[in-house]
Amino acid sequence: DYAEAFNYYSKAIDMCPKNASYYGNRAATLMMLYRYREALEDSQQAVRLDNDFMKGHLREGKCHLSLGNAMAASRCFQRVLELEPDNSQAQQELKNAESILEYEKMAEIGFEKRDFRMVVFCMDRALEAAAACHRFKILKAECLALLGRYAEAQSVASDILRIDSTNADALYVRGLCLYYEDCIEKAVQFFVQALRMAPDHDKARLACRDAKALKAKKEEGNTAFKEGNYDAAYELYSEALTIDPNNIKTNAKLYCNRATVGSKLKRLEQAIEDCTKAIKLDETYVKAYLRRAQCYMDTEQYEEAVRDYEKVYQTEKTKEHKHLLKHAQLELKKSKRKDYYKVLGVNKNATEDEIKKGYRKRRMLLPTFGRCDRHSGASPELQKEEEKKFKEVGEAFSVLSDPKKKSRYDSGQDLEDDGMNVGDFDANNIFKAFFGSPGGFSFEASGPGNFFFQFG
């Protein structure tokens, strides 16, 4: 019953304030209660009263060690060994103190090299012997935040704040986690609070400055975008991206925002690149996948679009995402067929007249149209190629000029279904589309690639 023991030792000290062992015993009790700072004071008082009090030096060393003061702990254990050279406990604790000093050096080098995993490893090892060291815990929490392990970092900082609500370092780490989770306004509040507790806290001051600058620049970009000033919005988002490369989530959103602006400015490849950068920073960022997929659709990169929409649908199985995926899959399927609109040189929204004009234009460019001897001197291979082009143009027109076939083609259905064979077409039917009933006209072939009019 350590609390009761503490009370009795305190009474003993009141009755006999010059007895070193009473302070030493109360220090041991406080250590069992994990009240190391108070225990340290009692241990120090004990050795002040009796410098040869071995247990007092040993307990002072253990308190220093638990609080992360490895140098001070080493001096205490060395004093114990002066008094008792064979004291195995002091020998072991001295090794522990030396190990902590080594881990501190490694952590310092790791932090300078931005090897935050190494710092976390070193602090975990150091905390095995220095369990009550807030400094080690804070450094570990800061590195966890820099590694994107925000929940773990916040847990460590919150534990410290429960013990010491005015701990500026813990307040800074809590703010850092919020800042990196794109809760910038709340983060600023914690940074300001940390600066109230420690006005010379450089990290909190710099983080507060960056957070305010990032928030302001991002809002400026959003305002410019809403006003339709896309060039200005693009520049503002670009400037915001230079403020803090470590803020992964905010930067991912900035890249996605800039991609949205890029798509408005018809810089589609640039927009795709920005979305890719956003996804690299945050692989769970659905909005960036959706934006990139749309850009892929706009640039007719359908396989890539399908891949992104599949990723989105796996993450969020909504009706809207399912519809987008099916649409992309349909466009991919359509893209693998002949593009009859391209064959006729018209866009996909072409009218009936535009389709006819496109057909006429393409046919006039083919040497097989008109006189049968126009291409008679060509090699068999060239004649075969021209015949292929002739058939392709005729095939395209036969589909796009027929409302039923055109509807099926536009919807991505197979034209071969229901007996619609587009491989063969009747040139007389094409003439009907232009001139009505052919009357005495007919269209015949005199050989591969040679077509002519026959008048009845």
Side-chain angles (χ1 to χ4, degrees):
D1 189 347
Y2 302 118
E4 190 69 5
F6 173 80
N7 291 332
Y8 280 117
Y9 286 132
S10 296
K11 290 177 181 179
I13 289 169
D14 290 339
M15 296 169 69
C16 190
K18 301 295 182 182
N19 189 306
S21 65
Y22 293 172
Y23 284 100
N25 288 352
R26 190 168 73 172
T29 305
L30 287 165
M31 289 169 70
M32 299 306 293
L33 293 168
Y34 304 104
R35 292 159 62 177
Y36 293 103
R37 294 191 184 280
E38 296 168 75
L40 177 61
E41 292 176 7
D42 274 357
S43 299
Q44 290 172 329
Q45 181 60 20
V47 298
R48 274 196 293 268
L49 293 170
D50 181 0
N51 192 42
D52 294 332
F53 184 29
M54 185 276 296
K55 286 186 178 179
H57 287 293
L58 187 62
R59 286 165 185 159
E60 181 187 357
K62 286 185 175 181
C63 288
H64 277 306
L65 199 62
S66 294
L67 294 167
N69 305 320
M71 288 291 289
S74 295
R75 288 193 293 269
C76 294
F77 298 136
Q78 286 166 355
R79 176 58 181 157
V80 172
L81 292 172
E82 288 173 8
L83 297 169
E84 286 187 15
D86 297 329
N87 190 302
S88 59
Q89 194 174 4
Q91 290 171 351
Q92 181 57 50
E93 295 292 6
L94 185 58
K95 288 180 181 179
N96 290 339
E98 290 170 351
S99 295
I100 288 177
L101 288 170
E102 188 60 32
Y103 283 126
E104 282 191 86
K105 288 178 185 177
M106 290 171 61
E108 185 178 351
I109 293 169
F111 196 89
E112 287 177 0
K113 292 182 177 179
R114 301 187 66 78
D115 187 353
F116 302 125
R117 286 185 177 82
M118 173 59 75
V119 179
V120 171
F121 170 81
C122 290
M123 291 301 96
D124 279 338
R125 300 289 81 74
L127 284 164
E128 289 173 1
C133 181
H134 286 179
R135 183 164 49 87
F136 292 168
K137 290 179 180 179
I138 288 295
L139 182 56
K140 174 186 174 180
E142 182 179 0
C143 290
L144 286 170
L146 292 168
L147 288 168
R149 294 159 63 178
Y150 307 119
E152 295 172 74
Q154 287 200 47
S155 176
V156 174
S158 296
D159 286 344
I160 293 172
L161 289 170
R162 274 192 287 271
I163 299 168
D164 179 9
S165 62
T166 65
N167 189 299
D169 291 324
L171 290 167
Y172 159 71
V173 170
R174 284 283 286 118
L176 197 65
C177 292
L178 290 165
Y179 172 58
Y180 285 146
E181 289 183 294
D182 198 39
C183 300
I184 296 178
E185 197 167 336
K186 287 183 179 179
V188 169
Q189 293 174 7
F190 275 95
F191 294 144
V192 169
Q193 194 175 350
L195 289 167
R196 285 200 195 104
M197 300 299 114
D200 58 346
H201 200 296
D202 289 337
K203 287 184 177 180
R205 189 181 72 255
L206 292 172
C208 191
R209 182 199 66 188
D210 286 347
K212 288 179 177 179
L214 194 55
K215 181 175 181 290
K217 193 65 69 175
K218 183 182 177 184
E219 287 177 352
E220 286 179 47
N222 292 346
T223 300
F225 178 80
K226 289 174 184 175
E227 292 174 352
N229 192 349
Y230 301 130
D231 287 316
Y234 192 92
E235 290 303 316
L236 288 163
Y237 288 139
S238 298
E239 290 172 20
L241 282 164
T242 66
I243 292 172
D244 185 2
N246 293 321
N247 196 321
I248 292 171
K249 283 204 171 182
T250 302
N251 287 342
K253 289 183 180 181
L254 287 169
Y255 275 121
C256 192
N257 287 358
R258 195 170 73 172
T260 303
V261 177
S263 66
K264 293 285 186 182
L265 294 169
K266 305 302 179 185
R267 303 175 189 170
L268 295 176
E269 290 302 328
Q270 212 168 42
I272 289 170
E273 187 180 336
D274 275 346
C275 288
T276 301
K277 288 177 179 177
I279 291 166
K280 189 175 180 181
L281 292 175
D282 183 0
E283 292 183 354
T284 65
Y285 195 8
V286 170
K287 190 176 179 181
Y289 283 104
L290 288 170
R291 172 58 57 193
R292 188 171 70 174
Q294 184 57 56
C295 290
Y296 280 140
M297 293 292 288
D298 292 340
T299 53
E300 298 184 3
Q301 299 179 66
Y302 299 119
E303 287 187 9
E304 290 82 354
V306 167
R307 188 166 59 244
D308 277 354
Y309 282 132
E310 284 176 341
K311 176 73 174 179
V312 169
Y313 187 62
Q314 287 169 6
T315 306
E316 296 180 359
K317 287 182 166 57
T318 67
K319 287 184 179 179
E320 181 186 359
H321 295 160
K322 186 177 183 180
H323 172 74
L324 289 169
L325 174 58
K326 284 193 170 183
H327 177 63
Q329 290 170 333
L330 175 61
E331 290 302 319
L332 174 61
K333 179 182 176 183
K334 288 162 67 175
S335 72
K336 292 182 178 180
R337 309 172 309 172
K338 288 180 184 176
D339 189 336
Y340 290 143
Y341 290 100
K342 281 187 178 179
V343 171
L344 297 184
V346 297
N347 65 49
K348 293 181 180 180
N349 298 317
T351 63
E352 185 179 344
D353 285 341
E354 288 171 338
I355 290 170
K356 286 182 179 180
K357 287 178 182 177
Y359 173 69
R360 286 195 196 99
K361 186 175 180 181
R362 283 287 187 267
R363 286 300 309 274
M364 290 302 295
L365 295 174
L366 293 174
T368 52
F369 183 73
R371 292 178 57 190
C372 62
D373 61 346
R374 184 173 174 183
H375 209 56
S376 59
S379 66
E381 291 79 11
L382 184 57
Q383 288 187 40
K384 190 173 182 181
E385 181 64 28
E386 294 300 335
E387 183 179 355
K388 181 181 176 183
K389 290 180 182 178
F390 170 82
K391 288 183 177 181
E392 192 175 65
V393 170
E395 182 182 306
F397 183 73
S398 71
V399 171
L400 298 183
S401 62
D402 184 315
K404 187 175 180 181
K405 289 182 181 180
K406 183 176 184 296
S407 176
R408 291 181 65 84
Y409 176 79
D410 288 341
S411 65
Q413 298 180 61
D414 293 326
L415 296 174
E416 284 73 15
D417 294 350
D418 298 333
M420 290 188 180
N421 189 349
V422 298
D424 299 322
F425 71 96
D426 187 347
N428 287 305
N429 288 337
I430 295 176
F431 253 63
K432 287 179 185 179
F434 279 102
F435 308 114
S437 175
F441 294 95
S442 65
F443 217 170
E444 296 182 3
S446 62
N450 296 316
F451 295 85
F452 60 91
F453 295 120
Q454 178 175 322
F455 297 88

